[in-house]
Amino acid sequence: MAAFSPDDHGPETLVLGIETSCDETAVACVRGGGEVLSSVVSSQVDLHARYGGVVPEVASRAHNELIIAVLAQSMVEAGVEGSDVDAVAATTGPGLIGALLVGVSAAKALALTWDVPFVSVNHLEAHFYAALLEEPDLEFPLVVLLVSGGHTMIVEMSGHGDYRLLGQTLDDAAGEAFDKVARFLGLGYPGGPAIDTAALKGDPEAIHFPRSMLNEGYDFSFSGLKTAVVNHVREHPDVSTEDIAASFQAAVVEVLVAKAQRAAKASGAKALALGGGVAANSLLRELFLGACANDGIQGFLPSRAMCTDNAAMIASAGWYRLGADGPSALSTGANPRARMF
Ligand code: KG4
Ligand code: ZN
């Protein structure tokens, strides 16, 4: 691997990022941690829809087929050649092992070929960087509500790389709850957008579903809510699907917003940001901004493309990691259960 010194790291440093932890094959070119030259995402959602969820083996095979084309498109769109790239970053975990291995192997091969550093990136840290990537002026301490298909957590970021976990889900992730309820209601996959759309035609007050642990700390629990939906539909088979979707969504969003708002106040945060796929939810986006305005705190909603999995956030987090820790060893493997806390 090329020798690396801190002088090699600055606003001109171009990091090529690769993300293959789940069902998106993504490659991005980002300069100086913040200037996105290209961000290409190829979603496999259609491949998995017929199974009602991500099939790990199908995902890894699709990553294998797509990675070279996505890489080429990202470099062409950015107008860069291999000799322009200063480091290659990839998600090493958490995620699906077979899927992760495709991106990690590609990144190591490119780093070796171009003789530049390889940088291992934790997928969750990258989601925290998504907000900063679009709004570099966000002030610390920053509280991030990360709500995705695999994770639901509230994290305080006091500075770059300085995190404190304030709360997390004790069972299902918020996105997982959306996906499971949508599947039960026959709304298809992925469930979040399907419930979001159905809820537009429903009454959020039609059924009062439980708001688990609303006033207790910063941890979440969504499995009881999912059971409450199932029980309600079994007891009232004629209930409107739109009313169920709207009432379920209102219950999830109320808890998410209340806890994030309380955590931000308690930690004296200057700004509150959303991250993860569920941050694309229209009701969450609306109530989140309303809560921030009420509390006089800077609220930031990344674009929908930056909320869902992408490689620009990997390249951005990779740029900060490279500056803080230097290159990662080429022996660093994919770790499906990589932890941040
Ligand atoms: O961050 P992400 O793209 O992948 C993970 O790292 O998990 O998040 C995917 C999750 C899925 O559970 C999906 O149903 C949910 O985000 N999602 C939504 C919406 N769009 C995507 N949930 C609620 N409302 C949406 N509009
Ligand atoms: Zn993600």
Side-chain angles (χ1 to χ4, degrees), residues 21-24 123 127 146-151 174-179 189-196 249 275-282 304 307-309 313:
S21 67
C22 191
D23 61 343
E24 260 96 28
H123 184 80
H127 271 301
L146 172 61
V147 272
S148 72
H151 299 89
E176 195 178 350
F178 270 96
D179 293 337
Y189 171 85
I195 290 201
D196 201 341
Q249 177 175 274
V278 182
N281 183 267
S282 9
R304 283 182 165 78
C307 289
T308 49
D309 287 350
M313 66 182 192

Side-chain angles (χ1 to χ4, degrees), residues 266-291:
S267 62
K270 295 236 170 61
L272 182 57
L274 278 182
V278 182
N281 183 267
S282 9
L283 183 68
L284 177 57
R285 294 174 83 83
E286 183 189 326
L287 297 191
F288 173 84
L289 284 185

Side-chain angles (χ1 to χ4, degrees), residues 13-14 25 43-44 78 81 88 110 112 116 129 164 178 219 225 243-244 265 272 283 293 303 308 311:
T13 305
L14 177 67
T25 315
S43 172
Q44 307 172 4
E81 297 184 1
V88 184
L110 291 171
L112 269 176
V116 295
Y129 266 94
R164 190 161 66 98
F178 270 96
D219 285 338
L225 172 58
D243 282 352
I244 294 277
K265 270 195 206 163
L272 182 57
L283 183 68
S303 64
T308 49

Side-chain angles (χ1 to χ4, degrees), residues 48-322:
H48 300 284
R50 78 185 81 153
Y51 305 107
V54 177
V55 182
E57 183 58 25
V58 172
S60 11
R61 282 168 194 262
H63 284 308
N64 250 330
E65 282 167 20
L66 290 163
I67 188 77
I68 299 296
V70 174
L71 169 69
Q73 189 181 337
S74 175
M75 293 181 69
V76 168
E77 279 184 18
V80 303
E81 297 184 1
S83 54
D84 300 318
V85 175
D86 298 304
V88 184
T91 305
T92 48
L96 303 167
I97 181 66
L100 286 166
L101 277 170
V102 177
V104 173
S105 310
K108 288 181 185 174
L110 291 171
L112 269 176
T113 308
W114 295 333
D115 196 23
V116 295
F118 161 69
V119 189
S120 158
V121 172
N122 182 297
H123 184 80
L124 299 181
E125 181 167 37
H127 271 301
F128 301 144
Y129 266 94
L132 283 165
L133 179 53
E134 283 193 337
E135 186 52 273
D137 294 333
L138 280 178
E139 284 187 74
F140 296 120
L142 163 71
V143 166
V144 184
L145 170 65
L146 172 61
V147 272
S148 72
H151 299 89
T152 296
M153 51 177 71
I154 303 178
V155 169
E156 181 190 14
M157 212 174 156
S158 303
H160 290 291
D162 187 357
Y163 309 98
R164 190 161 66 98
L165 177 66
L166 301 179
Q168 63 184 329
T169 183
L170 303 176
D171 40 57
D172 290 350
E176 195 178 350
F178 270 96
D179 293 337
K180 286 179 177 171
V181 166
R183 188 182 318 173
F184 173 72
L185 296 176
L187 291 175
Y189 171 85
I195 290 201
D196 201 341
T197 307
L200 293 174
K201 295 193 209 119
D203 175 5
E205 288 169 11
I207 307 129
H208 187 83
F209 286 125
R211 272 73 170 151
S212 302
M213 303 168 69
L214 181 61
N215 300 310
E216 291 163 47
Y218 305 121
D219 285 338
F220 301 92
S221 167
F222 294 111
S223 69
L225 172 58
K226 182 192 61 197
T227 310
V229 170
V230 171
N231 289 342
H232 188 91
V233 174
R234 291 203 172 127
E235 283 160 23
H236 307 86
D238 297 331
V239 67
S240 134
T241 299
E242 286 79 13
D243 282 352
I244 294 277
S247 302
F248 160 78
Q249 177 175 274
V252 175
V253 169
E254 185 182 327
V255 177
L256 290 175
V257 172
K259 296 206 180 213
Q261 192 177 11
R262 201 148 34 79
K265 270 195 206 163
S267 62
K270 295 236 170 61
L272 182 57
L274 278 182
V278 182
N281 183 267
S282 9
L283 183 68
L284 177 57
R285 294 174 83 83
E286 183 189 326
L287 297 191
F288 173 84
L289 284 185
C292 291
N294 265 344
D295 290 349
I297 186 170
Q298 185 186 6
F300 183 68
L301 290 175
S303 64
R304 283 182 165 78
M306 196 50 75
C307 289
T308 49
D309 287 350
N310 66 85
M313 66 182 192
I314 307 301
S316 179
W319 183 84
Y320 283 102
R321 274 281 141 242
L322 184 63

